[in-house]
């Protein structure tokens, strides 16, 4: 509301000031003088002034909206949902490629819009995680894209979704490590439209993890390293500490015999409400061989003990947002500039 | 007639300068009234959640170790003291000692399971305290800031109302250390 008032009051005062000053200049000029006749053509009427006043309210409301957008953009994060391809089809859509031809006769210009095709085609892949479209190989989409042809029904597919992560930019929270670990192992991302590798460093368990992820709405990620010390493992967890709301990160350091030497598990908000699951997986895994059986054990624990944190759990963080001085100055100047330009426009062009 | 346009314009401007800010202050009041109510409710919820963590983990230990019902109140006291850090960093030892004293059989696998439950419970209790601490800090900041503080006070929300609920559980040793600024002497 502060932003609304700080934008509204100065721009209304400027609008009012310009109107009074302009009317005063117009009224004090004598009848029949050149100045008066010049001014008369550029008069701002009372109706135009009222429109300007209404505009200042709208502008201040828009500024408040911009401020809220800037605030919310700081919270937007990405989570991954996994599924399987269920269907693929060619979809007819209205043509997106239009052009205009304008003709002028008797100082009147007439423009007609033409479309290149009757319809365009999208190459859609339907998955349980959401639908996606394969890029066209020609302008209309009439030729079958080879990538669409290679899509297999039943293969794993991942989609990215935005959500509001109120911890994302909180530098003071106790529920996120803010220091970077420096391990240099990046989080997996979607590649090739919908492909996603949830396992880093141990492909033998990837199929099992993908299968579970596709059925659970969770994003369980494994990072398996060999011969690293605890600090390195901890630094991976630190790097990924901003794990997503549906993500479970399991980092394992392998012993020589492919058994778990050291393990760290991380869930959203420093494991908030999931401590039992974390400790249970960590304590029960030490010394066991890393294989599908261990992964199945982990999934069984996740299924019974994982607590989903509601997306609005940390919503009070929104109240901590304060707009930067730069943004405030920008919005105030924007409001003033639009008010002045509107006044000048109305002075030169009769609007009402 | 022309002069009256200036007067009308002036009156419209002044009315807008009064009405629009008054309306926006009204919206702001509603926003902070609701925000304050929601935050106070959440502070109370997180306070309950701290107690709930103790209760949940007491029951987990009871089930895992098959503690007879007649000992449940004693177990509750030991778990509460362990989670609140009264026995220091190795607080779980006190729980195991209590289990041994009450002749409850514990084999190696149960020992590991109990250790997991106690460690998880302590961290969960600490996090529930941290959660309360965070929302209380946000609430305190809002009540101390110029605009939000004014609006929240106008709506009847002030920090003093929740100060007691916001107090976190700290063992007497830690409280004493913070009061005196002296850590306890480690004897070798």
């Amino acid at each position: 509301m502060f932003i609304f008032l700080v934008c509204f009051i100065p721009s209304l005062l400027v609008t009012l000031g310009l109107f009074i000053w302009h009317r005063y200049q117009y009224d004090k000029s004598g009848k029949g003088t050149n100045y008066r006749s010049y001014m008369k053509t550029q008069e701002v009427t009372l109706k135009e002034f009222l429109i300007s006043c209404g505009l200042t309210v709208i502008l201040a409301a828009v500024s408040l909206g911009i401020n809220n957008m800037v605030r919310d953009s700081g919270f937007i994060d990405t989570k991954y949902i996994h599924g399987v391809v269920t269907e693929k089809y060619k979809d007819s859509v209205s043509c997106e490629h239009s052009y205009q031809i304008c003709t002028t006769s008797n100082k009147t210009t007439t423009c007609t819009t033409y479309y290149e095709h009757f319809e365009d085609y999208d190459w859609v892949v339907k998955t349980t995680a959401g639908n996606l479209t394969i890029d066209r190989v020609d302008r209309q989409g009439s030729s079958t894209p080879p990538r669409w042809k290679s899509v297999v029904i039943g293969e794993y597919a991942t989609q990215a979704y935005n959500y509001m992560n109120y911890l994302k930019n909180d530098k003071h929270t106790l529920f996120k490590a803010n220091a970077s670990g420096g391990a240099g192992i990046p989080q997996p991302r979607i590649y090739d439209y919908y492909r996603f590798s949830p396992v880093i460093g141990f492909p033998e368990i990837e199929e099992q993890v993908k299968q579970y992820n596709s059925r659970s709405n969770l994003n369980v990620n494994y990072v398996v390293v060999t011969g690293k010390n605890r600090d390195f493992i901890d630094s991976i967890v630190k790097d990924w500490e901003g794990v997503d709301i549906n993500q479970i990160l399991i980092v394992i350091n392998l012993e020589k015999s492919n058994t778990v030497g050291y393990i760290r598990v991380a869930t959203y908000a420093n494991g908030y409400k999931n401590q039992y699951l974390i400790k249970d997986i960590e304590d029960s895994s030490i010394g066991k061989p890393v294989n599908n059986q261990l992964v199945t054990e982990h999934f069984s624990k996740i299924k019974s003990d994982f607590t989903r944190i509601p997306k609005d759990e940390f919503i009070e963080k929104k109240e901590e947002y304060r707009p930067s001085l730069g943004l405030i100055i920008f919005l105030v100047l924007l409001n003033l500039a639009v008010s002045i330009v509107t006044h000048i426009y109305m002075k030169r062009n009769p609007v009402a | 007639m022309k002069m009256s346009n200036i007067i009308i314009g002036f009156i419209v401007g002044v009315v807008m300068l009064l009405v629009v800010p008054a309306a926006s202050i009204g919206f702001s009041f509603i926003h902070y009234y609701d925000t304050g109510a929601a935050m106070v409710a959440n502070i109370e919820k997180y306070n309950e959640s701290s107690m709930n963590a103790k209760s949940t983990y007491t029951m987990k230990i009871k089930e895992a170790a098959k503690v007879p019902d007649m000992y449940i109140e004693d177990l509750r006291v030991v778990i509460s003291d362990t989670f609140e850090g009264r026995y220091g960093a190795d607080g779980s030892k006190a729980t195991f000692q209590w289990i041994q004293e009450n002749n409850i059989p514990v084999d190696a696998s149960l020992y590991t399971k109990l250790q997991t439950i106690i460690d998880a419970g302590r961290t969960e209790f600490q996090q529930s305290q941290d959660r309360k601490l965070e929302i209380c800090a946000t609430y305190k900041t809002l009540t101390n800031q110029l605009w939000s503080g004014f609006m929240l006070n106008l709506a009847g929300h002030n920090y003093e109302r929740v100060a007691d609920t916001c107090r976190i559980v700290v063992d007497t040793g830690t409280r004493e250390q913070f009061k005196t600024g002296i850590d306890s002497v480690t004897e070798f």
Side-chain angles (χ1 to χ4, degrees):
Chain A
M1 207 42 72
F2 165 76
I3 286 286
F4 180 86
L5 291 178
V6 95
C7 291
F8 169 73
I9 293 172
S11 62
L12 183 70
L13 287 174
V14 165
T15 304
L16 180 61
L18 284 172
F19 173 72
I20 290 174
W21 177 76
H22 180 79
R23 294 299 312 188
Y24 177 73
Q25 291 290 319
Y26 173 71
D27 289 343
K28 84 169 184 182
S29 59
K31 276 183 183 174
T33 61
N34 287 339
Y35 182 71
R36 187 178 172 85
S37 56
Y38 161 74
M39 290 295 281
K40 195 162 188 172
T41 59
Q42 301 198 15
E43 184 183 8
V44 176
T45 65
L46 191 62
K47 273 185 186 173
E48 287 172 336
F49 168 69
L50 293 175
I51 291 169
S52 299
C53 287
L55 195 67
T56 57
V57 179
I58 294 166
L59 270 174
V62 169
S63 302
L64 183 64
I66 292 172
N67 176 61
N68 290 349
M69 274 171 61
V70 170
R71 178 195 64 193
D72 290 350
S73 67
F75 298 128
I76 294 172
D77 209 343
T78 308
K79 66 176 180 180
Y80 296 102
I81 301 289
H82 308 282
V84 290
V85 175
T86 53
E87 198 184 341
K88 58 175 186 175
Y89 56 89
K90 179 185 179 184
D91 194 19
S92 302
V93 293
S94 50
C95 183
E96 297 161 4
H97 313 106
S98 62
Y99 56 93
Q100 279 193 330
I101 293 180
C102 298
T103 51
T104 306
S105 66
N106 296 331
K107 293 184 180 175
T108 307
T109 306
T110 312
C111 293
T112 312
T113 304
Y114 294 93
Y115 289 90
E116 282 181 30
H117 321 104
F118 175 68
E119 58 185 5
D120 284 353
Y121 304 105
D122 278 345
W123 297 88
V124 180
V125 178
K126 205 172 168 184
T127 83
T128 52
N131 295 354
L132 60 115
T133 308
I134 302 290
D135 289 345
R136 295 170 190 163
V137 288
D138 57 41
R139 203 167 162 78
Q140 189 186 9
S142 53
S143 308
T144 310
R147 182 64 190 83
W148 184 85
K149 213 181 268 181
S150 68
V151 173
V152 178
I153 305 295
E155 71 175 313
Y156 299 111
T158 301
Q159 290 285 280
Y161 290 94
N162 285 340
Y163 74 102
M164 299 294 270
N165 179 2
Y166 296 105
L167 293 175
K168 194 182 172 192
N169 285 327
D170 191 337
K171 300 277 182 264
H172 310 290
T173 182
L174 299 165
F175 291 92
K176 184 169 70 78
N178 282 306
S180 168
I185 297 180
Q187 293 208 41
R189 298 271 179 262
I190 292 174
Y191 64 95
D192 192 20
Y193 292 103
Y194 53 78
R195 296 196 200 281
F196 188 93
S197 298
V199 178
I200 297 172
F202 207 81
E204 291 87 333
I205 57 171
E206 184 156 314
E207 175 65 22
Q208 187 90 343
V209 178
K210 279 182 172 176
Q211 194 182 71
Y212 178 76
N213 280 345
S214 69
R215 293 172 183 170
S216 68
N217 263 350
L218 291 176
N219 178 22
V220 181
N221 293 171
Y222 279 82
V223 177
V224 183
V225 294
T226 311
K228 300 289 183 188
N229 58 24
R230 287 183 175 214
D231 286 346
F232 184 83
I233 304 295
D234 290 343
S235 65
I236 296 172
V237 177
K238 220 179 241 181
D239 281 348
W240 288 29
E241 201 57 55
V243 292
D244 300 320
I245 199 159
N246 68 332
Q247 191 175 20
I248 299 171
L249 167 64
I250 300 174
V251 189
I252 296 170
N253 187 40
L254 282 184
E255 297 280 306
K256 280 178 186 166
S257 50
N258 265 7
T259 56
V260 178
Y262 180 61
I263 179 168
R264 278 290 310 272
V265 180
T267 62
Y268 181 63
N270 262 358
Y272 181 54
K273 292 185 179 174
N274 280 305
Q275 284 305 318
Y276 179 70
L277 171 70
I278 291 171
K279 296 274 196 291
D280 194 19
I281 291 179
E282 287 178 352
D283 291 348
S284 65
S285 302
I286 300 289
K288 288 186 178 170
V290 178
N291 52 27
N292 284 336
Q293 193 187 333
L294 181 71
V295 170
T296 307
E297 269 179 42
H298 290 172
F299 291 154
S300 145
K301 289 179 195 298
I302 289 167
K303 196 176 175 187
S304 60
D305 294 320
F306 180 70
T307 304
R308 285 175 193 269
I309 307 295
K311 63 181 169 43
D312 289 341
E313 173 71 37
F314 294 93
I315 198 165
E316 84 272 4
K317 303 283 177 194
K318 256 173 121 169
E319 297 296 328
E320 291 176 8
Y321 167 80
R322 293 288 167 268
S324 67
L325 186 63
L327 179 67
I328 295 171
I329 292 170
F330 168 76
L331 290 174
V332 171
L333 291 179
L334 181 74
N335 277 259
L336 288 175
V338 174
S339 297
I340 293 166
V341 168
T342 306
H343 179 85
I344 292 168
Y345 179 81
M346 286 184 173
K347 195 163 163 277
R348 292 183 179 169
N349 304 283
V351 174
Chain B
M1 183 66 189
K2 295 294 177 191
M3 197 62 191
S4 69
N5 271 353
I6 293 181
I7 293 166
I8 294 168
F10 182 76
I11 291 168
V12 167
V14 170
V15 167
M16 282 192 76
L17 270 176
L18 293 173
V19 171
V20 176
S24 67
I25 288 167
F27 282 122
S28 186
F29 175 79
I30 293 167
H31 169 76
Y32 281 111
Y33 185 93
D34 291 348
T35 302
M39 287 181 86
V40 169
N42 277 333
I43 288 167
E44 280 160 9
K45 185 179 85 178
Y46 294 127
N47 196 43
E48 292 289 323
S49 163
S50 291
M51 289 189 256
N52 193 34
K54 282 184 196 172
S55 174
T56 305
Y57 280 89
T58 303
M59 294 318 288
K60 270 189 199 285
I61 290 168
K62 181 186 177 293
E63 278 168 26
K66 296 189 173 60
V67 175
D69 288 346
M70 59 190 286
Y71 295 138
I72 189 71
E73 281 312 312
D74 288 349
L75 178 64
R76 212 182 291 281
V77 171
V78 175
I79 293 297
S80 180
D81 289 350
T82 303
F83 285 7
E84 289 177 16
R86 292 213 181 133
Y87 305 120
D90 282 336
S92 56
K93 280 182 186 164
T95 309
F96 284 114
Q97 196 181 328
W98 180 89
I99 288 170
Q100 276 173 353
E101 282 169 1
N102 287 283
N103 296 321
I104 296 161
V106 177
D107 61 17
S109 70
L110 180 60
Y111 184 90
T112 312
K113 190 172 174 63
L114 289 176
Q115 187 75 50
T116 302
I117 297 172
I118 294 167
D119 281 354
R122 286 182 67 172
T123 315
E124 197 138 321
F125 176 74
Q126 189 200 325
Q127 286 195 328
S128 70
Q129 295 274 291
D130 287 346
R131 184 71 191 98
K132 188 171 78 174
L133 202 64
E134 280 212 347
I135 195 165
C136 284
T138 305
Y139 187 69
K140 194 174 186 178
T141 309
L142 285 178
T143 53
N144 285 338
Q145 280 171 344
L146 186 70
W147 184 254
S148 56
F150 173 72
M151 283 294 166
L152 283 167
N153 274 297
L154 202 64
H157 298 298
N158 56 60
Y159 185 72
E160 280 65 39
R161 269 183 64 188
V162 292
D164 278 344
T165 318
C166 279
R167 198 166 292 145
I168 59 160
V169 177
V170 180
D171 60 295
T172 43
T174 308
R175 198 176 288 284
E176 199 56 37
Q177 283 166 21
F178 271 83
K179 207 182 275 178
T180 58
I182 302 166
D183 200 352
S184 58
V185 178
T186 308
E187 290 179 10
F188 295 97

